[in-house]
């Protein structure tokens, strides 16, 4: 899983480098596919429950699962990219939100707080802790900063399947409060909205957007519980 995760981190970092005003999200998806070929890995999302692309590209008020396409990124947009691979039978999964050129102070703060919320969730990913501690850490950080966490989508266990038990909600009371044991691997993925937490799925059947049109950010890592603290597998 370390090898799968590292390749996810590398490909996502390389695709991030390509982001600038004028680039289309389809360009980014094409690059992600090409890098999958070069690394001899399968894109995990393409074909998953009928999802048509390697990459998810969600712009501004889009929360997750946006389709890459002919849309050109503009200065001031924020782009959430979510990406996974399968390698030697194991999955890795990660996401980042990136500003296109200069973005508003509020967008910058939303991205920072969401990244910090993920870091807080990861820090709670310790043997002897509980899943509810991870959820609480994420939720507390986001809400203390005046933002809300999405309820309709959650993180997940990951391994030989992209989505395994347990569900990893970004809010308290959304799932089973399991003890965290050594060897458990979780995809922790806070989706944080600048406004309310409600989201809806567009007519394409995939693209989730905020109901109030507010900006949304998404960061994700694949993280293992070890005898020696949390181990982030999806770093480059
Ligand atoms: N990181 C997301 C998840 O784990 C990406 C899934 S996109 C899909 O749910 F296309 F595969 F559904
Ligand atoms: Co995921």
């Amino acid at each position: 899983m370390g090898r799968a995760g590292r390749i996810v981190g590398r490909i996502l970092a390389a695709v991030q480098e390509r982001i600038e005003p004028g680039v289309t999200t389809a360009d980014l998806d094409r690059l992600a596919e090409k890098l999958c070929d070069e690394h001899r890995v399968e894109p995990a999302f393409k074909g998953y429950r009928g999802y048509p692309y390697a990459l998810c590209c969600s712009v501004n008020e889009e929360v997750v699962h946006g389709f890459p396409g002919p849309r050109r990124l503009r200065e001031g947009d924020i782009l959430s990219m979510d990406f996974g691979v399968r390698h030697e039978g194991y999955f890795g999964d990660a996401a980042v939100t990136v500003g296109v050129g200069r973005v508003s102070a509020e967008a910058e703060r939303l991205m920072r707080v969401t990244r910090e919320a993920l870091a807080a969730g990861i820090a709670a990913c310790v043997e002897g802790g509980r899943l509810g501690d991870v959820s609480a850490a994420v939720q507390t950080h986001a809400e203390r900063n005046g933002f809300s966490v999405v309820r309709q989508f959650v993180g997940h266990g990951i391994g030989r399947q992209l989505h395994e038990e347990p569900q990893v909600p970004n809010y308290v009371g959304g799932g089973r409060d399991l003890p965290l044991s050594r060897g458990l691997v979780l995809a922790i993925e806070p989706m944080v909205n600048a406004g309310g937490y409600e989201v809806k799925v567009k007519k394409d059947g995939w693209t989730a957007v905020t109901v109030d049109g507010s900006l949304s950010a998404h960061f994700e890592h694949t993280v293992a519980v070890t005898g020696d603290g949390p181990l982030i597998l999806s770093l480059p």
Side-chain angles (χ1 to χ4, degrees):
M1 291 199 73
R3 293 204 285 270
R6 185 149 42 241
I7 293 168
V8 167
R10 284 188 186 159
I11 293 178
L12 206 47
V15 173
Q16 236 184 103
E17 293 282 302
R18 178 70 61 94
I19 295 174
E20 58 177 348
V23 164
T24 71
T25 51
D27 294 333
L28 302 176
D29 181 62
R30 214 170 301 118
L31 174 59
E33 283 243 24
K34 190 185 90 168
L35 294 171
C36 283
D37 286 345
E38 284 178 19
H39 284 89
R40 309 244 186 286
V41 297
E42 280 169 55
F45 301 166
K46 197 172 184 176
Y48 182 85
R49 294 175 178 244
Y51 185 79
Y53 302 98
L55 198 64
C56 298
C57 292
S58 309
V59 182
N60 296 336
E61 77 289 352
E62 296 174 354
V63 178
V64 285
H65 304 161
F67 288 168
R71 176 177 189 161
R72 287 186 192 284
L73 296 172
R74 298 169 49 178
E75 174 112 22
D77 285 342
I78 63 171
L79 170 67
S80 299
M81 295 192 302
D82 192 347
F83 178 66
V85 307
R86 187 169 118 122
H87 177 59
E88 296 174 340
Y90 289 95
F91 285 87
D93 188 2
V96 288
T97 302
V98 184
V100 181
R102 265 182 71 88
V103 305
S104 70
E106 182 71 348
E108 210 51 84
R109 196 172 73 87
L110 176 68
M111 293 190 289
R112 175 177 54 79
V113 167
T114 309
R115 198 184 310 111
E116 290 167 351
L118 172 58
I122 292 171
C125 223
V126 293
E127 193 178 16
R130 306 187 73 91
L131 198 53
D133 304 338
V134 176
S135 305
V138 169
Q139 180 175 26
T140 302
H141 189 73
E143 292 183 353
R144 193 166 48 210
N145 284 281
F147 298 137
S148 63
V149 292
V150 170
R151 271 85 165 145
Q152 193 171 324
F153 300 99
V154 296
H156 48 96
I158 180 169
R160 289 186 170 277
Q161 304 293 334
L162 175 60
H163 293 143
E164 297 184 354
E165 289 295 309
Q167 292 198 354
V168 184
N170 296 301
Y171 59 99
V172 173
R176 293 166 52 217
D177 189 18
L178 300 170
L180 300 175
S181 53
R182 205 181 285 208
L184 181 64
V185 184
L186 301 175
I188 306 174
E189 49 180 319
M191 289 145 270
V192 176
N193 298 348
Y197 66 76
E198 299 87 353
V199 304
K200 62 179 184 203
V201 175
K202 298 212 311 193
K203 290 212 184 74
D204 62 19
W206 280 98
T207 312
V209 296
T210 58
V211 167
D212 60 14
S214 65
L215 292 178
S216 187
H218 180 208
F219 285 84
E220 175 177 21
H221 269 307
T222 299
V223 182
V225 178
T226 77
D228 197 25
L231 180 63
I232 305 176
L233 301 179
S234 48
L235 288 171

Coordinates of all heavy atoms in Angstrom, one line a residue, residues 63-144:
V63 N -18.1 20.4 -5.0 CA -17.5 19.8 -3.8 C -16.6 18.6 -4.1 O -15.5 18.6 -3.8 CB -18.7 19.4 -2.8 CG1 -18.1 18.7 -1.6 CG2 -19.6 20.6 -2.5
V64 N -17.2 17.6 -4.8 CA -16.4 16.4 -5.2 C -17.0 15.9 -6.5 O -18.2 16.3 -6.9 CB -16.4 15.3 -4.1 CG1 -15.5 15.6 -3.0 CG2 -17.8 15.0 -3.7
H65 N -16.3 15.0 -7.1 CA -16.8 14.2 -8.2 C -17.1 14.9 -9.5 O -17.9 14.5 -10.3 CB -18.0 13.3 -7.8 CG -17.7 12.4 -6.6 ND1 -18.7 11.8 -5.9 CD2 -16.5 12.0 -6.1 CE1 -18.2 11.1 -4.9 NE2 -16.9 11.2 -5.0
G66 N -16.5 16.2 -9.6 CA -16.7 16.9 -10.9 C -16.0 16.2 -12.1 O -15.0 15.6 -11.9
F67 N -16.6 16.3 -13.2 CA -16.0 15.8 -14.4 C -15.0 16.7 -15.0 O -15.2 17.9 -15.2 CB -17.1 15.6 -15.5 CG -18.1 14.4 -15.3 CD1 -19.2 14.3 -16.1 CD2 -17.8 13.5 -14.3 CE1 -20.1 13.3 -15.9 CE2 -18.7 12.5 -14.1 CZ -19.9 12.4 -14.9
P68 N -13.8 16.2 -15.4 CA -12.9 17.0 -16.2 C -13.5 17.3 -17.6 O -14.3 16.5 -18.0 CB -11.7 16.1 -16.4 CG -11.8 14.9 -15.4 CD -13.3 14.8 -15.1
G69 N -13.2 18.4 -18.2 CA -13.8 18.8 -19.4 C -13.2 20.0 -20.0 O -12.1 20.4 -19.6
P70 N -13.9 20.6 -21.0 CA -13.3 21.8 -21.7 C -13.3 23.1 -21.0 O -12.7 24.1 -21.5 CB -14.3 21.9 -22.9 CG -15.6 21.3 -22.5 CD -15.2 20.2 -21.5
R71 N -13.8 23.1 -19.7 CA -13.7 24.3 -18.9 C -12.3 24.8 -18.7 O -11.5 24.0 -18.3 CB -14.4 24.0 -17.6 CG -14.3 25.2 -16.6 CD -15.1 24.8 -15.3 NE -15.2 26.0 -14.4 CZ -16.1 26.0 -13.4 NH1 -16.9 25.0 -13.2 NH2 -16.1 27.1 -12.7
R72 N -12.0 26.0 -19.0 CA -10.7 26.6 -18.8 C -10.6 27.2 -17.4 O -11.5 28.0 -17.0 CB -10.3 27.7 -19.8 CG -10.1 27.0 -21.2 CD -9.6 28.0 -22.2 NE -9.6 27.4 -23.5 CZ -8.7 26.5 -23.9 NH1 -7.7 26.2 -23.2 NH2 -8.9 25.9 -25.1
L73 N -9.6 26.8 -16.7 CA -9.4 27.4 -15.3 C -9.1 28.9 -15.5 O -8.4 29.3 -16.4 CB -8.3 26.7 -14.6 CG -8.6 25.2 -14.3 CD1 -7.3 24.5 -13.8 CD2 -9.7 25.1 -13.4
R74 N -9.6 29.7 -14.5 CA -9.4 31.1 -14.6 C -8.7 31.6 -13.3 O -9.0 31.0 -12.2 CB -10.8 31.9 -14.7 CG -11.5 31.5 -16.0 CD -12.9 32.0 -15.9 NE -13.0 33.4 -15.5 CZ -14.1 34.2 -15.4 NH1 -15.3 33.6 -15.7 NH2 -14.1 35.4 -15.0
E75 N -8.0 32.6 -13.4 CA -7.4 33.2 -12.2 C -8.4 33.4 -11.1 O -9.5 33.9 -11.4 CB -6.7 34.6 -12.6 CG -6.2 35.3 -11.4 CD -4.7 35.4 -11.4 OE1 -4.1 35.3 -12.5 OE2 -4.1 35.6 -10.4
G76 N -8.1 33.0 -9.9 CA -9.1 33.2 -8.8 C -9.9 31.9 -8.5 O -10.6 31.8 -7.4
D77 N -10.0 31.0 -9.4 CA -10.7 29.7 -9.2 C -10.0 28.9 -8.1 O -8.8 29.0 -8.0 CB -10.8 28.9 -10.4 CG -11.8 29.3 -11.5 OD1 -12.7 30.1 -11.1 OD2 -11.7 28.9 -12.7
I78 N -10.7 28.1 -7.4 CA -10.1 27.0 -6.7 C -10.5 25.7 -7.3 O -11.6 25.5 -7.6 CB -10.3 27.1 -5.1 CG1 -11.8 26.9 -4.8 CG2 -9.8 28.4 -4.6 CD1 -12.0 26.7 -3.2
L79 N -9.5 24.8 -7.4 CA -9.8 23.5 -8.0 C -9.4 22.3 -7.1 O -8.3 22.2 -6.6 CB -8.9 23.3 -9.3 CG -8.8 21.9 -9.9 CD1 -10.2 21.6 -10.5 CD2 -7.7 21.8 -11.0
S80 N -10.4 21.5 -6.8 CA -10.2 20.3 -6.0 C -10.0 19.1 -7.0 O -10.8 18.9 -7.8 CB -11.4 20.0 -5.1 OG -11.6 21.0 -4.2
M81 N -8.8 18.5 -6.8 CA -8.5 17.3 -7.6 C -8.4 16.1 -6.7 O -7.7 16.1 -5.7 CB -7.1 17.5 -8.3 CG -7.1 18.6 -9.3 SD -5.6 18.5 -10.3 CE -4.4 18.6 -9.0
D82 N -9.2 15.0 -7.1 CA -9.2 13.8 -6.3 C -8.7 12.7 -7.3 O -9.1 12.6 -8.4 CB -10.6 13.5 -5.9 CG -10.7 12.4 -4.8 OD1 -9.8 11.7 -4.7 OD2 -11.8 12.3 -4.2
F83 N -7.8 11.8 -6.8 CA -7.2 10.8 -7.7 C -6.8 9.6 -6.9 O -6.4 9.6 -5.7 CB -5.9 11.5 -8.2 CG -5.1 10.6 -9.1 CD1 -5.6 10.2 -10.3 CD2 -3.9 10.2 -8.8 CE1 -4.9 9.3 -11.2 CE2 -3.1 9.3 -9.6 CZ -3.7 8.9 -10.8
G84 N -7.0 8.4 -7.5 CA -6.6 7.2 -6.9 C -6.0 6.2 -7.9 O -6.3 6.4 -9.1
V85 N -5.2 5.3 -7.5 CA -4.7 4.2 -8.3 C -4.8 2.9 -7.7 O -5.0 2.7 -6.5 CB -3.2 4.4 -8.7 CG1 -2.9 5.8 -9.2 CG2 -2.3 4.1 -7.5
R86 N -4.7 1.8 -8.5 CA -4.6 0.5 -8.1 C -3.2 0.0 -8.5 O -2.8 0.1 -9.7 CB -5.7 -0.4 -8.7 CG -5.7 -1.8 -8.1 CD -7.0 -2.5 -8.5 NE -6.6 -3.6 -9.3 CZ -7.0 -4.8 -9.0 NH1 -7.7 -5.1 -8.0 NH2 -6.6 -5.8 -9.8
H87 N -2.4 -0.6 -7.6 CA -1.1 -1.0 -7.9 C -0.8 -2.3 -7.2 O -1.0 -2.4 -6.0 CB -0.1 0.0 -7.5 CG 1.4 -0.3 -7.7 ND1 1.9 -0.7 -9.0 CD2 2.4 -0.5 -6.8 CE1 3.2 -1.0 -8.8 NE2 3.5 -0.8 -7.5
E88 N -0.5 -3.4 -7.9 CA -0.2 -4.7 -7.3 C -1.3 -5.1 -6.4 O -1.1 -5.7 -5.3 CB 1.1 -4.7 -6.6 CG 2.3 -4.4 -7.6 CD 3.7 -4.3 -6.9 OE1 3.7 -3.9 -5.7 OE2 4.7 -4.4 -7.6
G89 N -2.6 -4.8 -6.8 CA -3.7 -5.3 -6.0 C -4.2 -4.4 -4.9 O -5.1 -4.7 -4.2
Y90 N -3.5 -3.3 -4.7 CA -3.8 -2.4 -3.6 C -4.1 -1.0 -4.1 O -3.5 -0.5 -5.1 CB -2.7 -2.3 -2.5 CG -2.5 -3.6 -1.8 CD1 -1.6 -4.6 -2.1 CD2 -3.3 -3.8 -0.6 CE1 -1.5 -5.7 -1.4 CE2 -3.2 -4.9 0.1 CZ -2.3 -5.9 -0.3 OH -2.3 -7.1 0.4
F91 N -5.0 -0.3 -3.3 CA -5.4 1.1 -3.7 C -4.7 2.1 -2.9 O -4.4 1.9 -1.7 CB -6.9 1.2 -3.6 CG -7.7 0.5 -4.6 CD1 -8.0 -0.9 -4.5 CD2 -8.1 1.1 -5.8 CE1 -8.7 -1.5 -5.5 CE2 -8.8 0.5 -6.8 CZ -9.1 -0.9 -6.6
G92 N -4.6 3.3 -3.6 CA -4.2 4.5 -2.9 C -5.1 5.6 -3.3 O -5.6 5.6 -4.5
D93 N -5.4 6.7 -2.5 CA -6.4 7.7 -2.8 C -6.0 9.0 -2.1 O -5.6 8.9 -0.9 CB -7.7 7.1 -2.2 CG -8.9 7.9 -2.6 OD1 -8.8 8.9 -3.3 OD2 -10.0 7.6 -2.1
A94 N -6.0 10.1 -2.8 CA -5.6 11.4 -2.2 C -6.3 12.5 -3.0 O -6.8 12.3 -4.1 CB -4.1 11.6 -2.3
A95 N -6.4 13.6 -2.3 CA -7.0 14.8 -2.9 C -6.4 16.1 -2.4 O -5.9 16.1 -1.3 CB -8.6 14.9 -2.7
V96 N -6.4 17.1 -3.3 CA -5.9 18.4 -2.9 C -6.8 19.5 -3.5 O -7.3 19.3 -4.6 CB -4.4 18.7 -3.4 CG1 -3.4 17.9 -2.6 CG2 -4.3 18.5 -4.9
T97 N -6.8 20.7 -2.8 CA -7.5 21.8 -3.5 C -6.4 22.9 -3.7 O -5.6 23.1 -2.8 CB -8.6 22.4 -2.6 OG1 -9.5 21.3 -2.4 CG2 -9.3 23.6 -3.2
V98 N -6.4 23.4 -4.9 CA -5.3 24.3 -5.3 C -5.9 25.6 -5.8 O -6.9 25.6 -6.6 CB -4.4 23.7 -6.4 CG1 -3.3 24.5 -6.8 CG2 -4.0 22.3 -6.0
G99 N -5.3 26.8 -5.5 CA -5.8 28.0 -6.1 C -5.2 28.2 -7.5 O -4.0 27.8 -7.8
V100 N -5.9 28.8 -8.4 CA -5.5 29.1 -9.8 C -5.0 30.6 -9.7 O -5.8 31.5 -9.6 CB -6.6 28.9 -10.8 CG1 -6.0 29.2 -12.2 CG2 -7.1 27.5 -10.7
G101 N -3.7 30.8 -9.9 CA -3.2 32.1 -9.8 C -3.5 32.7 -8.4 O -3.5 32.0 -7.4
R102 N -3.8 34.0 -8.3 CA -4.1 34.6 -7.1 C -5.6 34.4 -6.8 O -6.4 34.6 -7.6 CB -3.8 36.1 -7.1 CG -2.5 36.5 -6.6 CD -2.3 38.0 -6.6 NE -3.1 38.7 -5.6 CZ -2.7 38.9 -4.3 NH1 -1.5 38.5 -3.9 NH2 -3.5 39.6 -3.5
V103 N -5.9 34.0 -5.5 CA -7.3 33.8 -5.2 C -7.6 34.7 -4.0 O -6.8 35.3 -3.4 CB -7.6 32.3 -4.8 CG1 -7.2 31.4 -5.9 CG2 -6.9 31.9 -3.5
S104 N -8.9 34.8 -3.7 CA -9.4 35.7 -2.6 C -8.8 35.2 -1.3 O -8.5 34.0 -1.1 CB -10.9 35.7 -2.5 OG -11.4 34.5 -2.1
A105 N -8.8 36.1 -0.3 CA -8.3 35.8 1.0 C -9.2 34.7 1.7 O -8.7 33.8 2.4 CB -8.3 37.1 1.9
E106 N -10.5 34.8 1.4 CA -11.4 33.8 1.9 C -11.2 32.4 1.4 O -11.2 31.4 2.1 CB -12.9 34.3 1.7 CG -14.0 33.4 2.2 CD -14.1 33.4 3.8 OE1 -13.2 34.0 4.4 OE2 -15.1 32.9 4.3
A107 N -10.9 32.4 0.1 CA -10.6 31.1 -0.6 C -9.3 30.5 0.0 O -9.2 29.3 0.3 CB -10.5 31.2 -2.1
E108 N -8.4 31.4 0.2 CA -7.1 31.0 0.7 C -7.3 30.4 2.1 O -6.7 29.3 2.5 CB -6.2 32.2 0.8 CG -4.7 32.1 0.7 CD -4.2 31.3 -0.5 OE1 -4.1 31.8 -1.6 OE2 -3.9 30.1 -0.3
R109 N -8.1 31.1 2.9 CA -8.4 30.6 4.3 C -9.1 29.3 4.3 O -8.8 28.4 5.1 CB -9.1 31.7 5.1 CG -9.1 31.6 6.6 CD -9.8 32.8 7.3 NE -11.2 32.8 7.1 CZ -12.1 32.2 7.9 NH1 -11.7 31.5 9.0 NH2 -13.4 32.3 7.7
L110 N -10.1 29.1 3.4 CA -10.8 27.9 3.3 C -9.9 26.7 3.0 O -10.0 25.6 3.6 CB -11.9 28.0 2.3 CG -12.7 26.7 2.0 CD1 -13.6 26.3 3.2 CD2 -13.6 26.8 0.8
M111 N -9.0 26.9 2.1 CA -8.1 25.9 1.7 C -7.1 25.5 2.9 O -6.9 24.4 3.2 CB -7.2 26.2 0.5 CG -8.1 26.4 -0.8 SD -7.1 26.5 -2.3 CE -6.5 28.2 -2.1
R112 N -6.6 26.6 3.6 CA -5.7 26.3 4.7 C -6.4 25.6 5.8 O -5.9 24.6 6.3 CB -5.2 27.7 5.2 CG -4.3 27.5 6.4 CD -3.7 28.8 6.9 NE -4.6 29.9 7.1 CZ -5.4 30.0 8.2 NH1 -5.3 29.1 9.2 NH2 -6.2 31.0 8.3
V113 N -7.6 26.0 6.1 CA -8.3 25.4 7.3 C -8.7 23.9 6.9 O -8.6 23.0 7.8 CB -9.6 26.2 7.6 CG1 -10.5 25.4 8.6 CG2 -9.2 27.5 8.3
T114 N -9.0 23.7 5.7 CA -9.4 22.3 5.3 C -8.1 21.4 5.4 O -8.2 20.3 5.8 CB -10.0 22.2 3.9 OG1 -11.1 23.2 3.8 CG2 -10.5 20.9 3.6
R115 N -7.0 22.0 4.9 CA -5.7 21.2 5.0 C -5.3 20.9 6.5 O -5.0 19.8 6.8 CB -4.6 22.0 4.3 CG -3.4 21.2 3.9 CD -2.2 22.1 3.3 NE -2.6 23.0 2.3 CZ -2.7 24.3 2.3 NH1 -2.4 24.9 3.5 NH2 -3.1 25.0 1.3
E116 N -5.6 21.9 7.3 CA -5.3 21.8 8.7 C -6.3 20.8 9.4 O -5.9 20.0 10.3 CB -5.4 23.1 9.5 CG -4.3 24.1 9.1 CD -4.6 25.5 9.6 OE1 -5.8 25.8 10.0 OE2 -3.7 26.4 9.5
A117 N -7.5 20.8 8.9 CA -8.5 19.8 9.4 C -8.1 18.4 9.1 O -8.2 17.5 9.9 CB -9.9 20.1 8.9
L118 N -7.6 18.2 7.9 CA -7.0 16.9 7.5 C -5.9 16.5 8.4 O -5.8 15.4 9.0 CB -6.6 16.8 6.0 CG -5.9 15.6 5.6 CD1 -6.7 14.3 5.8 CD2 -5.5 15.7 4.1
A119 N -5.0 17.4 8.6 CA -3.8 17.2 9.5 C -4.2 16.8 10.9 O -3.7 15.9 11.5 CB -2.9 18.4 9.5
A120 N -5.3 17.5 11.4 CA -5.8 17.1 12.8 C -6.4 15.7 12.8 O -6.2 15.0 13.8 CB -6.8 18.2 13.2
G121 N -7.1 15.4 11.7 CA -7.7 14.0 11.7 C -6.6 13.0 11.6 O -6.7 11.9 12.3
I122 N -5.5 13.3 10.8 CA -4.4 12.3 10.7 C -3.7 12.1 12.1 O -3.4 11.0 12.5 CB -3.4 12.8 9.7 CG1 -4.0 12.7 8.3 CG2 -2.1 12.0 9.7 CD1 -3.2 13.4 7.1
A123 N -3.6 13.2 12.8 CA -2.9 13.2 14.1 C -3.7 12.3 15.1 O -3.1 11.7 16.0 CB -2.7 14.6 14.7
A124 N -5.0 12.2 14.9 CA -5.8 11.4 15.8 C -5.8 9.9 15.4 O -6.5 9.1 16.0 CB -7.3 11.9 15.8
C125 N -5.1 9.6 14.3 CA -5.2 8.2 13.8 C -4.1 7.4 14.4 O -3.2 6.9 13.8 CB -4.8 8.4 12.3 SG -5.8 7.4 11.2
V126 N -4.3 7.1 15.7 CA -3.3 6.4 16.5 C -3.9 5.1 17.1 O -5.1 5.1 17.5 CB -2.7 7.3 17.6 CG1 -1.9 8.4 17.0 CG2 -3.8 7.9 18.5
E127 N -3.1 4.1 17.3 CA -3.5 2.9 17.9 C -4.0 3.2 19.3 O -3.4 4.0 20.0 CB -2.2 2.0 18.0 CG -2.5 0.6 18.4 CD -1.2 -0.2 18.4 OE1 -0.1 0.3 18.5 OE2 -1.4 -1.5 18.4
G128 N -5.1 2.6 19.7 CA -5.7 2.8 21.0 C -6.7 4.0 21.0 O -7.5 4.2 21.9
G129 N -6.7 4.8 19.9 CA -7.7 5.9 19.8 C -9.0 5.3 19.1 O -9.1 4.1 19.0
R130 N -9.9 6.1 18.8 CA -11.1 5.7 18.2 C -11.4 6.5 17.0 O -11.0 7.6 16.8 CB -12.3 5.8 19.2 CG -12.0 5.1 20.5 CD -13.3 5.1 21.4 NE -14.3 4.2 21.0 CZ -14.4 2.9 21.3 NH1 -13.5 2.4 22.1 NH2 -15.3 2.1 20.9
L131 N -12.2 5.9 16.1 CA -12.6 6.5 14.9 C -13.3 7.9 15.1 O -13.1 8.9 14.4 CB -13.5 5.6 14.1 CG -13.7 5.9 12.6 CD1 -12.4 5.9 11.9 CD2 -14.6 4.7 12.0
G132 N -14.1 7.9 16.2 CA -14.8 9.2 16.5 C -13.8 10.3 16.8 O -14.2 11.5 16.7
D133 N -12.6 10.0 17.3 CA -11.6 11.0 17.6 C -11.2 11.7 16.3 O -10.9 12.9 16.3 CB -10.4 10.4 18.3 CG -10.7 9.7 19.5 OD1 -11.8 9.9 20.1 OD2 -9.9 8.8 20.0
V134 N -11.1 10.9 15.2 CA -10.7 11.4 13.9 C -11.7 12.4 13.4 O -11.5 13.5 13.0 CB -10.4 10.3 12.9 CG1 -10.1 10.8 11.5 CG2 -9.3 9.3 13.4
S135 N -13.0 11.9 13.5 CA -14.1 12.7 13.0 C -14.2 14.0 13.8 O -14.4 15.1 13.3 CB -15.4 12.0 13.2 OG -15.4 10.7 12.5
A136 N -14.0 13.9 15.1 CA -14.2 15.1 16.0 C -13.0 16.1 15.7 O -13.3 17.3 15.7 CB -14.1 14.7 17.5
A137 N -11.8 15.6 15.5 CA -10.7 16.5 15.2 C -10.9 17.3 14.0 O -10.7 18.5 13.9 CB -9.4 15.7 15.1
V138 N -11.4 16.6 12.9 CA -11.7 17.3 11.7 C -12.8 18.4 11.8 O -12.7 19.5 11.5 CB -12.1 16.3 10.6 CG1 -12.7 17.0 9.3 CG2 -11.0 15.4 10.2
Q139 N -13.9 17.9 12.4 CA -15.1 18.8 12.6 C -14.8 20.0 13.4 O -15.1 21.1 13.1 CB -16.3 18.0 13.2 CG -17.5 18.8 13.4 CD -18.7 18.0 13.8 OE1 -18.5 17.0 14.5 NE2 -19.9 18.5 13.5
T140 N -14.1 19.8 14.5 CA -13.8 20.9 15.5 C -13.0 21.9 14.8 O -13.3 23.1 14.9 CB -13.1 20.3 16.7 OG1 -13.9 19.3 17.3 CG2 -12.8 21.4 17.7
H141 N -12.0 21.5 14.1 CA -11.1 22.5 13.4 C -11.9 23.3 12.4 O -11.7 24.6 12.3 CB -9.9 21.9 12.8 CG -8.9 22.9 12.4 ND1 -8.1 23.7 13.3 CD2 -8.6 23.4 11.2 CE1 -7.4 24.5 12.6 NE2 -7.7 24.4 11.3
A142 N -12.7 22.7 11.6 CA -13.4 23.4 10.5 C -14.4 24.3 11.1 O -14.5 25.5 10.7 CB -14.1 22.4 9.6
E143 N -15.2 23.9 12.1 CA -16.3 24.7 12.6 C -15.7 25.8 13.5 O -16.3 26.9 13.5 CB -17.3 23.8 13.4 CG -18.0 22.9 12.4 CD -19.0 22.0 13.1 OE1 -19.1 22.0 14.3 OE2 -19.8 21.3 12.3
R144 N -14.6 25.6 14.2 CA -14.0 26.7 15.0 C -13.6 27.8 14.1 O -13.5 29.0 14.6 CB -12.8 26.1 15.7 CG -12.2 27.0 16.8 CD -11.2 26.3 17.7 NE -10.2 25.6 16.9 CZ -9.6 24.4 17.3 NH1 -9.9 23.9 18.5 NH2 -8.7 23.9 16.6

